[in-house]
Amino acid sequence: MKLTSTLLLAMFFSLFFETTFFSFPLFFIVSLLLIYTKRDLIFYIAIFVMGISLDMMRMSPLGVTPLCIFASYLLLYVYEKYFGSKDIIVAIFIAFFSWFLYSYFLHYSLHLFFSAIVIGLACWGAYAFILRHRFA
Amino acid sequence: MRIPQEAPNRFTKRKVIILLVTFILLSLIVYLYAQSPIAKNLQGVVQGVFSKPKEFIYSLRHSEEKESDIKKENKKLSEKLVNYELMKRENDALKSQFDISSDYSQGLVGAKIVGFLGERALPTAFVINAGEDQKIQKGMPVISDKYLVGKIEKVSKKYSVVITPLNPNFSTLAKLPETGAQGILVGSEEFMVFDRVVITDNLEEGGIIVTKGEVKENGIGILPDIIIGKIKSISKNETSPFQSAQVLPIINYSRLLTVFIITTP
């Protein structure tokens, strides 16, 4: 519950601060983590509504943020369930690739090299933390 | 790092996939019907609610620069130089009685910046809290003092997107008043390029580039003689019919909080 409330708070925080205070796709990463850890309908609805609100405020095409988040997670889910694998490297690769495409097409700040390292490490750390938390 | 395999639950698997596909389809529907009146009105409401908080948050990080005296003096001198060159040309034109001075009657709408796109130090676009409700239209120029901030690219009910001259999608006719050189100014992320200048025209390092003006019949468009930037370096090849110059902005875009949109009255 602590992790969930932290992620929800981070998502709400990013609605105000993303593209106002910093140009980093925090909402995308946090939402992906949230639906990966909590498969409740309420969280899907929250991500959908907040994603559209974010699109409205940053003047990007409406619906593109929830579309990218759900499509990325679907890819990850299908790979894990139908190939029977929970390889962390593949999960990080899918998350990173989705993040990169989302950032590039929506004109977020792209200091590629530095961001790639930060995001890769963050995904690795978050995924390891979630796995330990889930199976503790 | 691998974890033990869970026993596959077909119902749960199918349920999650159906849920995901449903939300993807909903997102696609929203994307396709983004221009519908319901979506636009809802967008206006959300933008109105978040406008003041975003204004405040933006002002926390992007405070208006307290310029040093030397910088202020430098800016004043650049403006005086441009004014002098423009007045000189107008005088010559009046004397010759062959030139027509255009009279654009315009209005000004003030707006606060509530967001940015691109790098923080050199943003390629701003989001401002003025839109259709304030009669803003695509193509209107946006200024700060006597400097060009950009032009309106996208308009919604309460917000608009302004692309700065650094944006690769930005282009406008420009000139160097001191020598009369004319060309096209295009954005290139970290600087601007004053391109397609005829090889016989003179360009000078440190020269101030201003807009040439491209106002349409409806009165919307970039007005002439708005300062854009300063020439940093010149690229000239005697075998080519054109030359170009790298132009840097004079104002610090990341420090702007308030801008003005030039509208039709």
Side-chain angles (χ1 to χ4, degrees):
Chain A
M1 198 59 200
K2 222 178 174 181
L3 176 69
T4 311
S5 47
T6 308
L7 290 174
L8 279 170
L9 204 66
M11 271 169 58
F12 190 69
F13 169 88
S14 64
L15 270 187
F16 289 90
F17 285 79
E18 209 169 290
T19 71
T20 305
F21 203 79
F22 52 76
S23 182
F24 184 79
L26 181 66
F27 182 86
F28 183 87
I29 291 159
V30 169
S31 311
L32 210 53
L33 277 172
L34 184 65
I35 53 171
Y36 188 81
T37 53
K38 294 284 171 190
R39 290 184 198 137
D40 282 338
L41 180 62
I42 191 76
F43 297 121
Y44 282 61
I45 295 170
I47 289 167
F48 181 74
V49 169
M50 287 165 93
I52 288 179
S53 304
L54 184 67
D55 288 337
M56 285 177 180
M57 286 188 287
R58 56 186 311 280
M59 294 288 289
S60 49
L62 287 190
V64 79
T65 297
L67 181 66
C68 289
I69 293 166
F70 290 122
S72 306
Y73 182 61
L74 181 65
L75 202 64
L76 188 59
Y77 187 81
V78 162
Y79 174 79
E80 284 189 350
K81 293 305 172 193
Y82 287 96
F83 287 91
S85 168
K86 277 193 184 264
D87 198 335
I88 192 171
I89 301 292
V90 174
I92 288 173
F93 177 76
I94 292 173
F96 173 77
F97 188 66
S98 318
W99 160 79
F100 179 79
L101 287 177
Y102 178 78
S103 304
Y104 183 76
F105 288 110
L106 291 187
H107 308 293
Y108 279 93
S109 168
L110 269 185
H111 289 293
L112 278 175
F113 183 65
F114 177 69
S115 298
I117 293 170
V118 169
I119 292 295
L121 288 171
C123 288
W124 182 290
Y127 195 72
F129 174 78
I130 288 159
L131 285 177
R132 201 174 346 131
H133 174 84
R134 222 205 227 169
F135 292 99
Chain B
M1 186 160 68
R2 286 174 179 267
I3 58 161
Q5 297 292 315
E6 296 170 9
N9 182 335
R10 276 175 59 195
F11 177 73
T12 310
K13 242 193 304 192
R14 199 176 293 165
K15 188 179 167 192
V16 170
I17 289 175
I18 288 170
L19 211 55
L20 285 171
V21 169
T22 307
F23 277 100
I24 287 171
L25 286 172
L26 279 172
S27 305
L28 270 171
I29 290 168
V30 168
Y31 177 79
L32 292 170
Y33 288 94
Q35 297 304 316
S36 64
I38 299 169
K40 281 188 166 185
N41 286 330
L42 191 61
Q43 188 172 21
V45 169
V46 171
Q47 287 171 349
V49 165
F50 283 89
S51 179
K52 285 288 176 208
K54 280 178 83 73
E55 234 180 83
F56 172 71
I57 292 166
Y58 189 85
S59 67
L60 289 177
R61 192 129 188 230
H62 300 78
S63 54
E64 251 156 359
E65 192 179 55
K66 287 190 175 75
E67 289 176 315
S68 64
D69 289 337
I70 294 173
K71 267 191 182 170
K72 270 190 204 166
E73 195 61 31
N74 201 15
K75 261 171 106 173
K76 269 192 193 148
L77 287 171
S78 302
E79 286 168 31
K80 278 188 177 162
L81 183 64
V82 168
N83 281 340
Y84 166 73
E85 290 296 337
L86 295 170
M87 277 167 60
K88 187 164 162 291
R89 283 181 182 274
E90 208 167 302
N91 270 337
D92 292 340
L94 284 168
K95 275 183 197 168
S96 72
Q97 293 179 8
F98 279 119
D99 207 354
I100 301 163
S101 64
S102 45
D103 181 24
Y104 303 106
S105 58
Q106 305 287 342
L108 271 182
V109 172
K112 293 276 188 192
I113 298 176
V114 294
F116 69 99
L117 300 170
E119 302 301 329
R120 193 177 74 85
L122 293 168
T124 53
F126 290 119
V127 178
I128 58 172
N129 65 352
E132 285 170 0
D133 285 355
Q134 288 82 18
K135 310 262 189 294
I136 304 299
Q137 294 180 53
K138 185 178 171 177
M140 286 181 173
V142 180
I143 59 171
S144 170
D145 206 358
K146 290 183 184 165
Y147 302 90
L148 183 71
V149 175
K151 64 179 174 185
I152 302 287
E153 180 67 12
K154 216 191 282 186
V155 186
S156 70
K157 238 173 157 353
K158 292 212 189 309
Y159 284 7
S160 301
V161 174
V162 179
I163 54 168
T164 65
L166 297 167
N167 193 307
N169 295 328
F170 182 94
S171 68
T172 189
L173 298 174
K175 63 186 180 187
L176 180 63
E178 291 137 41
T179 64
Q182 295 180 13
I184 300 172
L185 188 108
V186 291
S188 189
E189 299 278 346
E190 289 175 8
F191 53 86
M192 299 166 271
V193 178
F194 185 38
D195 204 2
R196 314 294 274 175
V197 180
V198 175
I199 197 76
T200 49
D201 283 346
N202 281 332
L203 292 177
E204 295 165 356
E205 279 187 21
I208 311 290
I209 301 293
V210 302
T211 55
K212 184 168 181 282
E214 38 185 336
V215 181
K216 293 179 190 149
E217 282 167 3
N218 58 7
I220 295 172
I222 296 181
L223 299 183
D225 308 325
I226 305 173
I227 301 172
I228 305 175
K230 200 182 265 196
I231 293 178
K232 188 194 173 193
S233 61
I234 299 164
S235 171
K236 195 172 182 173
N237 185 351
E238 296 299 338
T239 58
S240 167
F242 297 109
Q243 58 182 318
S244 61
Q246 190 185 80
V247 178
L248 295 180
I250 295 174
I251 53 169
N252 189 341
Y253 292 119
S254 66
R255 294 288 183 182
L256 293 173
L257 289 178
T258 309
V259 294
F260 293 90
I261 305 108
I262 300 175
T263 63
T264 51

